[in-house]
Amino acid sequence: MAKTEKKGNAIVETVKTVVYALLIAGVFRTLFFQPFWIPSGSMKQTLLIGDFLFVNKMAYGYSYASCPSVILPRFGINLDAKTLCGWADGDNTRLFGGEPERGDVVVFRHPVSGRDYIKRLIGLPGDRVQITNGVITLNGEVVTQTPDGQFDELMELQGPQGLRPRCANGAVGQGGTCSKERVIETLPNGVSYAVLNIGPQASDRTGVYTVPEGQYFFMGDNRDNSADSRLAQTAGGVGFVPYENLIGRADRIMFSSAGRSMLFFWTWRGDRFFKAVK
């Protein structure tokens, strides 16, 4: 009888320990830092497929979007942030809110699909944004772009989804060098970063977007391979993003793997561990 009781108590204690650990992890993820894997190449060369980072949620304060989504299709789990914290949605405000700065790399909740996206903040509320021949005009001022050679990568399957990169140097066979033109773009507040160009396309030429109050305009650094605020939400883009949809700021890459799995240690990119996001 005593052994049975001890065994039962051990099981109860184990379950309690697991529950407490999950609660602590949930609170930590909700309030402080959220893990984020880079699934696509829309932010190359700043962020590569397979980069792993923690999103700083304290940077902009908290809204319903700060609740983590738990989506595991294999197990039939689809707990969306709006399902958990939808009661806080609708007023476009934040608790302990902080204002994002132009040039920040931000993780936000897509206004329609609810999926997490990561892009660079280009337009603030009230800004007028236009793209002409791939160059941004911001409130009537042309944003400086300085040629900076090219960005090269191998033509190979990238990440768990096995995505192939797009190249400016035409059709490239497996194992070949895929190149893109690179420029350094400098925003009016002095923030500079690399932008990649593949070739002329419709998103290089737009009308004037006037960013509404309480909303933001985002673009990917890999300009010709990014669904962002240049496209309306109904056309598969992001459109304007409300303040309450911001999740946090990407500050530092913690780990990076170029392979199909993080367990493939021979594909780890050691030069990107603990690298600051600029």
Side-chain angles (χ1 to χ4, degrees), residues 23-262:
L23 287 174
I24 292 170
V27 170
F28 183 85
R29 183 176 175 181
T30 300
L31 296 181
F32 304 110
F33 297 97
Q34 177 173 316
F36 190 85
W37 283 97
I38 302 301
S40 74
S42 69
M43 281 295 292
K44 292 179 180 177
Q45 69 179 45
T46 303
L47 297 171
L48 303 181
I49 295 175
D51 283 350
F52 174 79
L53 48 86
F54 282 104
V55 179
N56 181 357
K57 289 191 168 186
M58 297 176 286
Y60 310 135
Y62 307 98
S63 71
Y64 86 95
S66 300
C67 278
S69 295
V70 182
I71 302 173
L72 300 170
R74 181 181 300 179
F75 301 101
I77 297 174
N78 187 5
L79 293 176
D80 185 76
K82 205 161 191 174
T83 302
L84 298 172
C85 297
W87 53 270
D89 182 22
D91 54 7
N92 204 28
T93 60
R94 307 182 71 86
L95 183 65
F96 309 121
E99 294 295 328
E101 296 183 10
R102 197 190 311 277
D104 283 358
V105 176
V106 180
V107 173
F108 58 86
R109 178 185 167 87
H110 190 284
V112 175
S113 71
R115 298 293 185 178
D116 291 349
Y117 276 55
I118 185 165
K119 306 288 179 185
R120 191 176 298 274
L121 176 55
I122 300 296
L124 302 174
D127 280 347
R128 289 174 289 108
V129 184
Q130 184 175 23
I131 295 86
T132 306
N133 296 324
V135 179
I136 299 171
T137 298
L138 194 56
N139 298 321
E141 298 289 333
V142 176
V143 173
T144 303
Q145 288 189 347
T146 305
D148 190 45
Q150 62 187 34
F151 171 77
D152 295 328
E153 59 184 335
L154 285 178
M155 171 55 72
E156 60 183 353
L157 302 178
Q158 299 181 348
Q161 300 179 58
L163 302 177
R164 294 183 183 273
R166 293 177 58 202
C167 314
N169 55 331
V172 177
Q174 183 75 10
T177 300
C178 176
S179 301
K180 300 174 181 60
E181 299 173 2
R182 179 174 59 207
V183 299
I184 300 300
E185 188 168 85
T186 303
L187 296 173
N189 61 348
V191 175
S192 295
Y193 46 89
V195 167
L196 304 183
N197 178 55
I198 299 171
Q201 59 184 47
S203 58
D204 291 335
R205 303 173 302 279
T206 73
V208 178
Y209 303 94
T210 300
V211 186
E213 190 63 32
Q215 302 197 47
Y216 297 89
F217 187 95
F218 289 92
M219 295 177 70
D221 291 350
N222 190 5
R223 291 286 159 80
D224 295 338
N225 196 46
S226 175
D228 49 40
S229 292
R230 289 171 291 177
L231 278 177
Q233 296 153 11
T234 54
V238 168
F240 300 122
V241 178
Y243 180 47
E244 67 179 351
N245 282 47
L246 307 186
I247 294 173
R249 186 181 64 217
D251 290 334
R252 190 169 296 275
I253 300 164
M254 304 303 294
F255 171 83
S256 185
S257 172
R260 302 293 296 272
S261 168
M262 64 177 292

